[in-house]
Amino acid sequence: MIEVVLFGTGNVASHLFKALRESKSVKVIQVYNHRKESLDFFKGKVEVTTSFKDLKEADLFLIAVKDDYISELASQLKPYKTLVVHTSGSLPLLSNNDRNGVFYPLQTFSKEQTIDYSAIPICIEASNPSDLKILKEVGAEISQKIYPINSEQRKSLHLASVFACNFSNALYGLAEQICQKNDVPFEILYPLILETAQKIKNNSPKTVQTGPAIRGDQKTIDFQLNQINSTEIKNLYILLTNLIQKEQ
Amino acid sequence: MIEVVLFGTGNVASHLFKALRESKSVKVIQVYNHRKESLDFFKGKVEVTTSFKDLKEADLFLIAVKDDYISELASQLKPYKTLVVHTSGSLPLLSNNDRNGVFYPLQTFSKEQTIDYSAIPICIEASNPSDLKILKEVGAEISQKIYPINSEQRKSLHLASVFACNFSNALYGLAEQICQKNDVPFEILYPLILETAQKIKNNSPKTVQTGPAIRGDQKTIDFQLNQINSTEIKNLYILLTNLIQKEQ
């Protein structure tokens, strides 16, 4: 049995807690948060504490707090010989802790959404092979997709996810705005947006690129640029069109 | 019974043909193409012709050929009193044909992909109300989502779809490239990409925006800009970050 103390009570922490409740080989034995009120959700389900002095002995300290608080929290755990890992996509290993690692579930956890944990990729890294093995075991209790990824790779993955997810969503927002301005129901676009995302499961995005840019349809490109008032959005259109045409 | 002559043998034409085969109230009675060999798929299933002289009398001439050939083809149909419609998202009404309209299925039809027609939005427009009724009836045989959209609105919709779909796919391609360069399996990103697209079915994209830009996390933004070598991609990152922050 791998015993875990969980630090944090936000989206990631509570989703990990829920996912591990079903496990027979990994158990969250305590949840820490510096604010007592934040622990309400966990009370009665697991031991809770607001004090570092009361931390239980465990095999894994799993830090699932905001990026900005991770290093401070980890430094409080320096005296322990326990494996200390964070759940951030952008931070490196916690070099001040003897045994340290990363346990990074690559998914946006929003409180409303129900999530199929088994499909969430978990990227793991540890400063030594035996600790990596522990993280693999914990990961396997949650998901079928475990990827050993080093810090350099994780940085690239994070950058890639900003382009593929955060920025795609910004483009959805822009499309919604264009629709609203012209009294077009944005929902018309929804099936096409979903299909575009689904397609890349089995195809490299470059091989399924569609639209005026890849067709070299300059007439439509010029026509559409004329429809756009904002200089920034025009520039964005041109940059993305060039990107598509360069990749041909 | 609405009788249809279909012009064209490409993806859109063959998908429309398949979708209408099941219908009891709409029937494709003939398929036209100027190249004989292109008609092979349709032979034995429906009457085919390569000659305008042999066109059958019908209630609807449905032009599903490439944008560039539509106006030439439509001009050949000028002598007919039949309703003539095209299937293009970017072209206006065929003003040279007496009775004319648009029947625009908003989806990328690729030959390999099986498609759930009933979920495909079809945007219709016609120069008179009784013809719009015909298009509504034909559309209803294929899809549950029929939207009467005028030419101005369709232009906006097309622009919006370039941003939401073509350009999102370009960002997926960029993300794939970043992953490949750093030996990271691109498939790790797939569930997150899919979730990002699925989320907007029930949420305005602006309300579910995530990432360093919306958090105002300048440290990560600077860090990621440093990871990017290409000036164009840097500019793209900055433009999209500004777009997200402006919309807050």
Side-chain angles (χ1 to χ4, degrees):
Chain A
M1 172 72 79
I2 299 173
E3 295 189 318
V4 179
V5 176
L6 184 63
F7 297 80
T9 54
N11 279 333
V12 178
S14 52
H15 278 107
L16 287 175
F17 179 75
K18 279 180 214 158
L20 286 171
R21 278 194 97 175
E22 327 252 295
S23 167
K24 286 192 169 62
S25 56
V26 180
K27 192 179 181 181
V28 176
I29 56 166
Q30 191 178 36
V31 176
Y32 165 93
N33 202 66
H34 69 292
R35 284 180 66 240
K36 208 179 157 206
E37 313 84 71
S38 307
L39 290 161
D40 283 350
F41 168 80
F42 298 94
K43 268 187 199 161
K45 301 181 179 108
V46 61
E47 228 183 281
V48 296
T49 182
T50 55
S51 161
F52 286 106
K53 285 182 209 143
D54 296 335
L55 288 183
K56 299 187 84 168
E57 264 188 54
D59 303 293
L60 176 62
F61 285 164
L62 187 53
I63 304 180
V65 301
K66 280 192 181 148
D67 284 17
D68 290 345
Y69 305 127
I70 292 175
S71 86
E72 197 194 318
L73 205 160
S75 71
Q76 301 273 0
L77 302 173
K78 224 180 143 181
Y80 293 83
K81 295 278 166 252
T82 312
L83 170 59
V84 181
V85 310
H86 69 69
T87 52
S88 162
S90 48
L91 294 185
L93 287 168
L94 301 158
S95 51
N96 287 327
N97 301 76
D98 274 353
R99 291 172 55 205
N100 62 76
V102 180
F103 188 91
Y104 168 45
L106 195 84
Q107 195 71 318
T108 20
F109 293 98
S110 49
K111 270 189 178 142
E112 313 82 46
Q113 210 101 1
T114 37
I115 284 169
D116 172 16
Y117 297 101
S118 65
I120 294 180
I122 297 178
C123 300
I124 55 172
E125 180 181 12
S127 51
N128 73 63
S130 61
D131 286 342
L132 191 68
K133 217 180 135 233
I134 294 177
L135 297 183
K136 252 184 204 159
E137 280 180 57
V138 176
E141 291 301 302
I142 299 175
S143 169
Q144 290 165 347
K145 304 266 185 186
I146 311 296
Y147 298 90
I149 292 283
N150 67 32
S151 292
E152 268 309 304
Q153 290 173 311
R154 200 170 53 253
K155 266 192 260 174
S156 317
L157 188 62
H158 192 227
L159 180 62
S161 85
V162 167
F163 276 106
C165 303
N166 303 155
F167 288 166
S168 280
N169 188 71
L171 294 180
Y172 302 158
L174 188 54
E176 184 185 46
Q177 208 179 351
I178 293 169
C179 286
Q180 280 167 349
K181 269 191 195 157
N182 298 278
D183 268 332
V184 175
F186 177 56
E187 61 168 58
I188 302 184
L189 281 175
Y190 180 70
L192 193 54
I193 286 173
L194 194 63
E195 200 210 338
T196 306
Q198 277 168 339
K199 252 189 196 170
I200 62 157
K201 189 167 187 177
N202 302 312
N203 304 278
S204 165
K206 274 163 213 169
T207 65
V208 291
Q209 183 66 53
T210 55
I214 193 82
R215 286 199 309 270
D217 180 353
Q218 195 59 42
K219 219 171 95 183
T220 301
I221 293 169
D222 291 339
F223 183 79
Q224 295 206 317
L225 281 170
N226 265 323
Q227 279 179 266
I228 305 170
N229 293 319
S230 143
T231 314
E232 283 97 341
I233 309 297
K234 256 197 176 79
N235 287 339
L236 184 61
Y237 188 104
I238 293 166
L239 266 174
L240 285 161
T241 296
N242 290 344
L243 178 72
I244 292 169
Q245 296 186 335
K246 244 183 165 175
E247 293 299 328
Q248 265 189 290
Chain B
M1 171 73 77
I2 299 173
E3 296 188 319
V4 179
V5 175
L6 184 63
F7 296 80
T9 54
N11 280 333
V12 177
S14 51
H15 277 107
L16 286 175
F17 179 74
K18 279 181 216 155
L20 286 172
R21 277 193 99 176
E22 328 252 294
S23 167
K24 285 190 172 60
S25 56
V26 180
K27 193 178 179 183
V28 176
I29 56 164
Q30 191 179 35
V31 176
Y32 165 93
N33 201 65
H34 70 292
R35 284 180 66 242
K36 208 180 156 205
E37 312 84 73
S38 308
L39 290 161
D40 283 350
F41 169 80
F42 298 93
K43 268 185 198 161
K45 299 181 181 110
V46 62
E47 227 184 281
V48 297
T49 183
T50 56
S51 160
F52 285 108
K53 285 181 209 144
D54 297 334
L55 288 183
K56 299 186 85 169
E57 263 188 57
D59 303 295
L60 176 62
F61 285 165
L62 187 53
I63 304 180
V65 301
K66 280 190 182 148
D67 285 17
D68 289 347
Y69 305 127
I70 292 175
S71 86
E72 197 194 317
L73 207 160
S75 70
Q76 301 274 1
L77 302 173
K78 225 180 141 184
Y80 292 84
K81 296 278 165 254
T82 312
L83 170 59
V84 181
V85 310
H86 69 69
T87 53
S88 160
S90 47
L91 293 186
L93 286 169
L94 301 159
S95 51
N96 288 326
N97 300 77
D98 272 354
R99 291 171 55 205
N100 63 75
V102 180
F103 188 89
Y104 168 44
L106 195 85
Q107 194 72 317
T108 20
F109 293 98
S110 49
K111 272 191 177 139
E112 314 81 47
Q113 211 102 1
T114 36
I115 284 168
D116 172 16
Y117 297 101
S118 66
I120 294 180
I122 297 178
C123 300
I124 55 171
E125 180 181 14
S127 51
N128 73 62
S130 60
D131 287 341
L132 191 68
K133 217 180 135 232
I134 294 177
L135 298 183
K136 252 185 203 157
E137 277 181 61
V138 176
E141 290 302 301
I142 299 175
S143 168
Q144 290 165 347
K145 304 267 185 184
I146 312 297
Y147 298 91
I149 291 283
N150 66 33
S151 292
E152 267 310 305
Q153 289 173 312
R154 200 171 53 254
K155 267 193 259 174
S156 318
L157 188 62
H158 192 228
L159 179 63
S161 85
V162 167
F163 276 107
C165 303
N166 303 156
F167 288 166
S168 282
N169 188 71
L171 294 179
Y172 301 159
L174 187 55
E176 185 186 43
Q177 207 180 351
I178 294 168
C179 286
Q180 280 167 349
K181 269 191 195 157
N182 297 279
D183 269 331
V184 176
F186 177 56
E187 60 168 58
I188 302 183
L189 281 175
Y190 181 69
L192 193 54
I193 286 172
L194 194 64
E195 200 209 338
T196 306
Q198 279 169 338
K199 250 188 197 172
I200 61 157
K201 189 167 186 176
N202 302 312
N203 305 278
S204 166
K206 276 164 210 169
T207 64
V208 292
Q209 184 65 53
T210 55
I214 194 83
R215 286 199 309 270
D217 180 353
Q218 196 58 43
K219 221 170 93 183
T220 301
I221 293 169
D222 292 339
F223 184 79
Q224 295 205 317
L225 280 171
N226 265 323
Q227 280 179 264
I228 305 170
N229 293 321
S230 143
T231 314
E232 283 96 343
I233 310 296
K234 257 197 174 79
N235 286 340
L236 184 61
Y237 188 103
I238 292 167
L239 265 175
L240 285 161
T241 296
N242 290 345
L243 178 72
I244 293 169
Q245 295 185 336
K246 243 183 164 175
E247 293 299 327
Q248 265 190 289

